[in-house]
Amino acid sequence: MSEIKLTRLSHGGGCGCKIAPALLQQILGEVKIKLPYANLLVGTETSDDAAVYRLNDQQAIIATTDFFMPIVDDPFDFGRIAATNALSDVYAMGGTPIMALAIVGMPINKLPVEAIRAILQGGESVCQAAGIPLAGGHSIDSTEPIYGLVAIGIVHPDRLKKNSEAHAGDVLILGKGLGVGVLAQALKKGALPADGYAQLIASTTQLNTVGSALSGLNGVHALTDVTGFGLLGHLLEMCRGSGLAAELQFEHVPILSEALVLAQQGYGPGAIDQNLASYGHEVDFAAHLESWQRRLLADAQTSGGLLAAVAPDTVDVVLSAFKSAGFAQAAVIGTMKQGVPRVTVS
């Protein structure tokens, strides 16, 4: 088991495996039509984190799926990260997970049974931590290792948090530090120290349970999680859905301490370049910002933090909720404002 290098069996890892935003838009088509189902509260129209279907006046079902190739070599840790990332989409809608199914694709001729079992056990351990059953799934023999979950959650329709309902004047709060993609690439290149690995695992396996608490706050207008498209990409989705612009202050954006020096040294996944090529024309960077700073804002996060747009008088309550839930780096990073959907970074 200790000799297995999962990251050598795949061409990419974590949420860095996502299809680039621009190419994905071409695949899906330019126009996202609201589907004609009255009880479908969230579909594909605003690139939100999950689909939501109203069952009755008190309950709506949240359904999402997320899977990827290994971001780390340890099978158990890979399973934990993938499961945490998948459940995050439920929390990002303000919901509470109730059940999950496993998505398993493994190169049977390359991985021993013990390694595959450890991946599944890692995912199951996260589901147990979230208080839900891992109730089944589907498996195939694939050329690269793939693991993830179908996650099912529930939310009161009135407490649903979309990524498209930010208000002008809202304050932006980010729950986790950036830099997961930087740490992951350093790991793949053999340049990540033990402290860096520990920080990578701690961040990517921290469940975004605070999303369930934020659902009860009327001042939380919009919510999403930051994953493969980077902070800028997911903030732009919020801007487009809400018909607003956003301003970020780089100095206030939390960054994982072990990733900071590595980012300055040029580490970062190829997904950064794909992201910037896809949406860089929608971002105005201040002239004083260096290349590594711009790249960090587009770094592909795996199991990243929640990004909330909240009323100014709700900021203290929201920050307190994040801190109480163990998100020590949660911070105010910017504001939403009137204007054409784009992001200005100072």
Side-chain angles (χ1 to χ4, degrees):
M1 291 280 286
S2 62
E3 297 178 358
I4 295 171
K5 299 294 183 184
L6 290 179
T7 56
R8 296 181 184 176
L9 297 177
S10 61
H11 72 281
C15 287
C17 295
K18 279 189 174 183
I19 295 174
L23 178 56
L24 182 61
Q25 186 63 50
Q26 292 178 36
I27 294 170
L28 297 178
E30 292 298 320
V31 180
K32 294 181 179 179
I33 301 173
K34 184 174 177 60
L35 297 175
Y37 298 91
N39 287 318
L40 183 64
L41 303 182
V42 181
T44 62
E45 56 274 4
T46 61
S47 302
D48 217 325
D49 298 293
V52 183
Y53 191 90
R54 179 172 48 210
L55 297 177
N56 51 55
D57 291 342
Q58 303 295 317
Q59 297 172 313
I61 285 289
I62 300 170
T64 183
T65 181
D66 216 315
F67 53 90
F68 46 61
M69 291 164 282
I71 188 174
V72 295
D73 290 318
D74 182 88
F76 187 77
D77 284 344
F78 170 41
R80 292 169 65 204
I81 293 168
T84 305
N85 180 75
L87 293 179
S88 181
D89 285 341
V90 173
Y91 295 122
M93 305 304 299
T96 301
I98 58 173
M99 183 177 69
L101 305 173
I103 300 168
V104 184
M106 295 291 154
I108 302 301
N109 61 336
K110 297 178 182 177
L111 278 179
V113 170
E114 293 78 12
I116 298 173
R117 183 184 300 124
I119 293 170
L120 272 59
Q121 289 172 338
E124 186 173 5
S125 73
V126 167
C127 290
Q128 290 175 345
I132 64 171
L134 184 52
H138 185 68
S139 61
I140 63 169
D141 184 356
S142 63
T143 57
E144 296 179 305
I146 297 170
Y147 181 71
L149 299 179
V150 173
I152 306 297
I154 196 164
V155 67
H156 191 292
D158 295 340
R159 294 187 173 188
L160 172 65
K161 300 299 180 183
K162 303 178 183 179
N163 70 350
S164 57
E165 297 186 346
H167 297 182
D170 277 353
V171 174
L172 293 168
I173 296 176
L174 180 62
K176 292 184 183 181
L178 302 182
V180 168
V182 171
L183 295 176
Q185 199 214 27
L187 172 66
K188 198 162 187 175
K189 289 182 174 294
L192 187 66
D195 288 347
Y197 186 79
Q199 192 170 67
L200 171 64
I201 298 303
S203 179
T204 55
T205 60
Q206 184 178 20
L207 285 163
N208 279 320
T209 52
V210 67
S212 301
L214 296 180
S215 71
L217 299 176
N218 291 331
V220 177
H221 296 144
L223 196 63
T224 190
D225 62 348
V226 178
T227 55
F229 298 158
L231 173 60
L232 290 175
H234 293 287
L235 177 55
L236 279 166
E237 289 178 339
M238 187 178 287
C239 289
R240 297 185 198 110
S242 304
L244 297 171
E247 291 184 351
L248 290 182
Q249 289 79 47
F250 182 85
E251 64 178 338
H252 295 154
V253 176
I255 300 170
L256 297 172
S257 59
E258 293 292 327
L260 188 56
V261 174
L262 291 166
Q264 293 170 341
Q265 294 174 349
Y267 285 94
I272 292 178
D273 296 319
Q274 294 177 355
N275 286 340
L276 288 173
S278 294
Y279 55 65
H281 61 285
E282 298 176 85
V283 182
D284 298 315
F285 292 104
H288 70 271
L289 291 174
E290 298 183 33
S291 175
W292 69 267
Q293 294 173 307
R294 303 179 187 208
R295 289 172 58 79
L296 256 179
L297 296 177
D299 183 33
Q301 303 303 289
T302 297
S303 191
L306 294 183
L307 176 65
V310 311
D313 60 2
T314 312
V315 170
D316 290 343
V317 175
V318 172
L319 283 175
S320 178
F322 272 106
K323 304 291 184 181
S324 297
F327 295 89
Q329 283 195 285
V332 170
I333 64 169
T335 56
M336 302 295 291
K337 63 177 185 177
Q338 296 286 353
V340 176
R342 62 187 299 110
V343 177
T344 300
V345 187
S346 60

